[in-house]
Amino acid sequence: MNETIFQKMILPEELRSILEEKSNIVIPESRTHLYDLALGNSTNEIYEVGYDVPNKGIVTEVTVARCKNGAVVNYTDEYMRRRDPDSMVIADTKETDKPKYKDLYGENFNPLRDITFDWLKSQDLIVMPFMAGGSEFGYPALLVAPLNAGFFAAGLSDLQTFIPASEVPDNFKPRAIIYLAPPFRHTHFDGKQVVVHNRLEKMHELFSYNLYPGPSAKKGIYGVLLNIGEDEGWVTAHASTVKVITPYDNIITIMHEGASGGGKSEMLEPIHTELNGDIVLSTNTVTKEKTYIELSDSSELQPVTDDMALCHPSIQNDSGKLVVTDAEQGWFLRINHIDHYGTDPHYENLCIHPKEPLIFLNLQGTPNSTCLIWEHTMDAPGKPCPNPRVIMPRRFIPDIVSEPVEVDVRSFGVRMPACTKETPSYGIMGLFHVLPPALGWLWRLVAPRGFANPSILDSEGMSSEGVGSYWPFATGRMVDQANLLLEQIINTPNTRYILIPNQHVGAHKVSFMPQWIAREYLARRGSAKFRSEHLAESRCAILGYALDSLKIDGMTLSKGYLQTNYQPEVGNEGYDQGAKILLDFFKEELSKYLSPELHPLGRKIIECCLNDGTIDDYIELMPMKL
């Protein structure tokens, strides 16, 4: 049967030579089939995934436990439990700003490529066809992996559009192939996560030399879509998208972008409450005083995208708004914030009582028990892993929207530290800010990774995620992506821009409450635009406009939440020191884009920032509709 299926495919010669030498090749037929492969067979209660490494013997990389609600994957090496932001390497000779294999390792990639193919010839294999980017607008792709890495294939099948063996179409020609070879991280890469991208003509090869799906099955495929979009003139935004319907039937669609940890998944969640239903707006980090807020009715949420918003040209229209659809069939949800029962009843219910078994990562799993998503794997005694995950097929999510949507508001989320006059920091944002389009573009170029990022291995302090906040996953040049984003903003003048902090607002610890409040407030306003009297120019120009007042469900928030210099713990002194930190960081990052290929308008906007431009200066460059 496999031979018949492979005859339907148009495959590169190197892959054909691998397949011709193997007798034990599994092409999955169903999700149930993949789930059994994840555990080795249909009866195993626990399954170890290991490989023979020269001079080390069998190295166990992963254990997979069969729980009542899914397969629980745990990595034996603590380092493997989060995505390494430096995992991407480029093997080809096309233009790129990313590290090149030859520069890092002093030789061409082709010899290792051949060795990888030889290793795959020695393995029993899974070959899994799928569509990268969705069945309607996506691109044919393949996974070629050792058979014992079934959990990896099962996870990928939930993230993208899996094609069962019996449904492979004639002339299936993959645009991308993931080759999975886990032991090479020990033999060639000093134990590090490495994913090598090799961009050939009409073929994008990904060599994943590790078993964590973050940089390959998840972000590697994102890189494939970005590369195709770069060739064709469009982007896949790093964003969640949600339709918000108020109790009064106002409808607004918000697309929330940002670096990892910027609140994308949280924008899709109901507002978090205490067990008794109270809503904690903030906790003052100095006085420890809690402030509560009351909402009589919260809005209905209809999720559209969680992380990858496809902005394909075929779905754009004449509304003057950006139109997006989901580039994924499943969501790689981080659940580190769920540390006890009742924290997030929405996802707790979806995970504990799923329609079908799920794939969990970095959670405690005892065979034949229920995996509880607040019981995180321990990196060390008393130190829970900060990156527990579940892969949630979008068809399991209530009220999901599957058709393209017009975006009314593009928000950008940034993790903020606490800021006080005694300990000033860049955590000076108010609850949310309204941005002129030019500043909306600048924030997407700088994309601060921000405070205490739980998703990736990173150093302390402020750093940039790079253009679009998807730069870690892109394979080309920053300036090309910057130009694509600017043209996108120019072509969608009826979509508005806001900026939202999370974790802290000045001296107040707020978690993700600002985006939940902003979501409810904007939805209640409906299509009403902000008038100039509603807004105040921020003391720091790159923060655009702050709200002068905010009243929701009859409750008026104090001005210190909107303009943090009014907080007595911060004051003008702490604010201005924080503003300098932020502006200096912007100038350092933006100067990297000043190449001859930069769009002329983009150059003017960046130079405006470098010359300490005012909000009016930005609006003069790109008009803003109030």
Side-chain angles (χ1 to χ4, degrees):
M1 178 182 174
N2 284 350
E3 186 176 342
T4 303
I5 296 171
F6 291 141
Q7 287 175 353
K8 292 183 175 184
M9 299 181 180
I10 302 172
L11 301 175
E13 286 304 314
E14 298 95 334
L15 178 55
R16 281 219 174 270
S17 70
I18 294 172
L19 302 180
E20 287 169 358
E21 291 197 19
K22 295 305 302 175
S23 59
N24 190 12
I25 298 175
V26 175
I27 306 175
E29 181 52 51
S30 66
R31 190 173 187 274
T32 299
H33 187 191
L34 279 159
Y35 185 72
D36 288 342
L37 290 174
L39 284 143
N41 57 41
S42 60
T43 59
N44 282 342
E45 294 185 355
I46 194 156
Y47 184 55
E48 292 188 351
V49 181
Y51 300 93
D52 190 1
V53 177
N55 301 318
K56 288 191 176 185
I58 300 296
V59 175
T60 300
E61 295 275 5
V62 163
T63 62
V64 187
R66 185 189 300 274
C67 290
K68 293 179 180 178
N69 50 336
V72 182
V73 177
N74 274 289
Y75 296 85
T76 58
D77 184 349
E78 177 189 337
Y79 160 77
M80 288 298 300
R81 296 171 189 164
R82 288 194 279 176
R83 175 174 59 85
D84 188 328
D86 299 321
S87 60
M88 177 184 283
V89 180
I90 306 299
D92 56 76
T93 57
K94 294 184 178 182
E95 290 187 324
T96 183
D97 292 331
K98 290 299 179 68
K100 298 179 181 179
Y101 186 92
K102 189 170 185 179
D103 294 340
L104 290 174
Y105 303 108
E107 62 181 8
N108 191 286
F109 176 64
N110 284 338
L112 182 60
R113 181 173 181 263
D114 292 339
I115 294 170
T116 306
F117 290 151
D118 288 341
W119 182 82
L120 287 167
K121 289 177 183 178
S122 71
Q123 303 295 306
D124 295 334
L125 297 176
I126 298 173
V127 176
M128 189 185 78
F130 64 99
M131 293 294 290
S135 56
E136 189 171 356
F137 305 106
Y139 300 83
L142 276 179
L143 169 69
V144 180
L147 183 58
N148 67 347
F151 81 90
F152 189 98
L156 174 59
S157 76
D158 279 347
L159 288 169
Q160 293 295 328
T161 305
F162 158 61
I163 302 175
S166 60
E167 297 177 21
V168 175
D170 290 334
N171 300 314
F172 181 87
K173 185 178 182 180
R175 184 72 181 266
I177 301 176
I178 299 176
Y179 294 102
L180 184 66
F184 284 66
R185 90 174 174 99
H186 300 289
T187 57
H188 290 74
F189 300 111
D190 196 29
K192 298 297 184 183
Q193 295 176 29
V194 172
V195 176
V196 178
H197 289 249
N198 194 29
R199 299 167 297 171
L200 307 175
E201 190 63 31
K202 298 298 181 182
M203 167 62 70
H204 193 133
E205 296 179 339
L206 289 89
F207 291 84
S208 179
Y209 293 117
N210 69 92
L211 278 173
Y212 184 60
S216 51
K218 170 67 175 169
K219 302 304 188 184
I221 292 300
Y222 196 170
V224 169
L225 295 175
L226 290 170
N227 182 52
I228 293 171
E230 191 173 305
D231 290 341
E232 299 179 356
W234 55 277
V235 302
T236 299
H238 195 202
S240 64
T241 311
V242 63
K243 289 182 73 172
V244 188
I245 305 172
T246 71
Y248 324 109
D249 290 331
N250 285 338
I251 301 176
I252 190 171
T253 299
I254 300 173
M255 184 170 91
H256 186 70
E257 299 160 83
S260 298
K264 292 182 291 297
S265 293
E266 287 78 6
M267 183 60 87
L268 308 179
E269 297 177 9
I271 192 167
H272 289 196
T273 65
E274 306 279 84
L275 287 175
N276 63 3
D278 288 346
I279 300 173
V280 179
L281 173 63
S282 71
T283 301
N284 190 303
T285 59
V286 177
T287 67
K288 309 305 177 186
E289 180 183 0
K290 289 186 177 182
T291 299
Y292 295 85
I293 188 172
E294 293 184 10
L295 290 177
S296 54
D297 291 295
S298 58
S299 298
E300 176 187 344
L301 305 176
Q302 295 185 351
V304 184
T305 76
D306 172 71
D307 186 68
M308 293 161 54
L310 201 73
C311 309
H312 201 274
S314 64
I315 61 176
Q316 304 309 309
N317 58 29
D318 59 2
S319 65
K321 297 178 180 179
L322 182 64
V323 182
V324 304
T325 193
D326 204 346
E328 301 181 284
Q329 289 302 306
W331 297 348
F332 196 48
L333 299 175
R334 189 186 66 252
I335 47 178
N336 65 302
H337 64 288
I338 303 175
D339 56 8
H340 60 273
Y341 170 75
T343 302
D344 190 336
H346 171 66
Y347 279 124
E348 289 169 27
N349 182 56
L350 287 175
C351 291
I352 293 173
H353 306 289
K355 295 178 181 179
E356 297 173 25
L358 301 173
I359 302 293
F360 299 95
L361 293 89
N362 303 328
L363 290 162
Q364 296 179 38
T366 302
N368 298 317
S369 68
T370 298
C371 175
L372 302 176
I373 60 174
W374 52 87
E375 293 184 350
H376 307 160
T377 295
M378 289 292 169
D379 284 350
K383 181 187 174 186
C385 173
N387 193 40
R389 296 273 182 170
V390 60
I391 300 175
M392 182 65 65
R394 69 193 310 278
R395 61 193 172 89
F396 294 177
I397 298 171
D399 301 318
I400 198 81
V401 176
S402 296
E403 63 272 6
V405 297
E406 297 174 0
V407 176
D408 299 299
V409 175
R410 290 178 73 167
S411 58
F412 196 89
V414 186
R415 298 180 74 88
M416 290 277 115
C419 176
T420 64
K421 62 184 67 173
E422 289 79 18
T423 312
S425 77
Y426 56 91
I428 59 171
M429 285 187 201
L431 201 70
F432 74 90
H433 293 257
V434 178
L435 298 179
L439 281 173
W441 180 65
L442 286 189
W443 275 94
R444 283 158 180 79
L445 296 194
V446 175
R449 191 173 285 157
F451 166 79
N453 189 320
S455 299
I456 60 174
L457 297 161
D458 198 11
S459 57
E460 294 297 317
M462 199 175 194
S463 59
S464 172
E465 193 97 319
V467 57
S469 80
Y470 54 67
W471 177 243
F473 330 126
T475 56
R477 301 189 307 169
M478 292 192 304
V479 67
D480 296 328
Q481 292 295 331
N483 288 339
L484 285 172
L485 281 175
L486 181 58
E487 289 164 5
Q488 183 187 74
I489 290 172
I490 292 170
N491 293 332
T492 54
N494 294 330
T495 293
R496 290 173 282 167
Y497 300 85
I498 64 172
L499 182 66
I500 307 179
N502 65 66
Q503 305 313 308
H504 296 90
V505 169
H508 292 264
K509 183 176 175 59
V510 292
S511 185
F512 293 95
M513 200 57 67
Q515 63 193 58
W516 294 325
I517 298 297
R519 185 182 67 193
E520 294 293 331
Y521 177 72
L522 291 171
R524 282 159 167 76
R525 288 181 60 87
S527 60
K529 293 181 171 64
F530 287 101
R531 295 198 297 270
S532 56
E533 60 265 30
H534 292 154
L535 304 173
E537 290 191 11
S538 298
R539 286 177 68 88
C540 177
I542 57 174
L543 297 182
Y545 292 98
L547 271 66
D548 201 50
S549 63
L550 189 152
K551 187 176 183 179
I552 184 168
D553 277 8
M555 180 177 179
T556 300
L557 298 188
S558 69
K559 200 164 188 174
Y561 284 111
L562 310 176
Q563 301 171 47
T564 56
N565 55 300
Y566 284 94
Q567 294 180 19
E569 298 86 354
V570 180
N572 290 343
E573 177 187 353
Y575 184 102
D576 291 343
Q577 289 184 67
K580 184 179 186 306
I581 295 170
L582 193 59
L583 190 57
D584 287 348
F585 179 72
F586 260 63
K587 290 178 178 179
E588 178 183 355
E589 293 299 322
L590 291 174
S591 62
K592 300 173 184 177
Y593 293 92
L594 292 175
S595 71
E597 295 85 0
L598 183 65
H599 191 295
L601 177 58
R603 177 173 292 276
K604 291 178 181 178
I605 295 170
I606 289 176
E607 288 175 346
C608 181
C609 180
L610 298 179
N611 294 324
D612 298 321
T614 66
I615 298 175
D616 288 340
D617 292 333
Y618 291 110
I619 293 175
E620 187 175 337
L621 291 169
M622 289 185 76
M624 174 184 181
K625 295 185 177 182
L626 286 174

